[in-house]
Amino acid sequence: MSKPQTAAKRPPLHLIESEADTLSDLAWGARDRFPNICIMLLDEIGRAKLCKPSNLPDDVVAMSSRVDYIDEGSGTRRSITLVYPNHADAVLGRVSILTPVGAGLIGVKAGHSILWPDRDGRQRQLTVVSVQQNCMAH
C-alpha cells in the first residue's frame, strides 16, 4: 500500500478532543479488520491540533459534517456526510470514517488538499471545497 504524504507535507488538522478519543478507540478496535486505514487514522489523530467543540473552525471536517470535495485525479466532485461505521450508507452519501476517504478527510479545512491512498493504494489528491457541520439526521 502506498504511504500518504509525510506529516510535514500534509495540511494541518483540527479535531475535537472527544472525537479524537472516540476515533482512537474505534481505530484500535478495528485494526484487525482494517489495519492500513486504522494505522493512517491513528497517525492523523496523533498529529492533529485538538480543541473543544466550540473552538473547532466551522470549515473543518468533523464527524457528521457534510463535505464537498474534489478528487483531483479524476476531477470528480462528491458530497458526503462523514459518519461512524454503524451509520454508513452509500445510497444516502454517508461515508464511514473507516474508509480511505473518511480517514483522509477528517480534520481537513476547506480549501486544503491531502494526498491520500485509495482502496487500491493509489495516491489521490482530495481537496475539501466546503464543510457544513452537524448534518447527520438523527
Side-chain angles (χ1 to χ4, degrees):
M1 176 165 203
S2 300
K3 292 187 177 198
Q5 295 162 302
T6 63
K9 292 181 180 179
R10 285 182 265 163
L13 296 183
H14 295 80
L15 291 176
I16 296 170
E17 292 167 333
S18 59
E19 283 186 359
D21 291 341
T22 301
L23 293 176
S24 292
D25 291 345
L26 181 65
W28 280 110
R31 69 186 181 281
D32 291 338
R33 289 178 291 148
F34 308 107
N36 293 332
I37 293 170
C38 292
I39 289 167
M40 291 185 303
L41 181 58
L42 288 167
D43 286 346
E44 293 296 89
I45 294 166
R47 73 180 191 84
K49 178 181 178 188
L50 301 181
C51 62
K52 303 259 184 245
S54 59
N55 293 337
L56 184 74
D58 289 339
D59 59 350
V60 170
V61 179
M63 296 306 297
S64 300
S65 293
R66 187 82 181 155
V67 184
D68 288 331
Y69 74 93
I70 297 173
D71 179 336
E72 299 291 352
S74 66
T76 304
R77 184 173 177 149
R78 290 193 64 206
S79 184
I80 64 160
T81 302
L82 188 60
V83 298
Y84 291 102
N86 57 331
H87 291 115
D89 186 329
V91 173
L92 298 176
R94 295 179 181 167
V95 173
S96 170
I97 185 67
L98 292 181
T99 62
V101 167
L105 292 176
I106 189 74
V108 177
K109 186 174 183 160
H112 289 201
S113 299
I114 188 163
L115 192 60
W116 200 255
D118 64 14
R119 291 187 190 276
D120 298 323
R122 292 184 307 257
Q123 294 290 319
R124 295 168 55 184
Q125 183 171 327
L126 307 176
T127 301
V128 176
V129 176
S130 66
V131 178
Q132 291 178 288
Q133 298 300 336
N134 301 314
C135 293
M136 181 72 185
H138 295 291

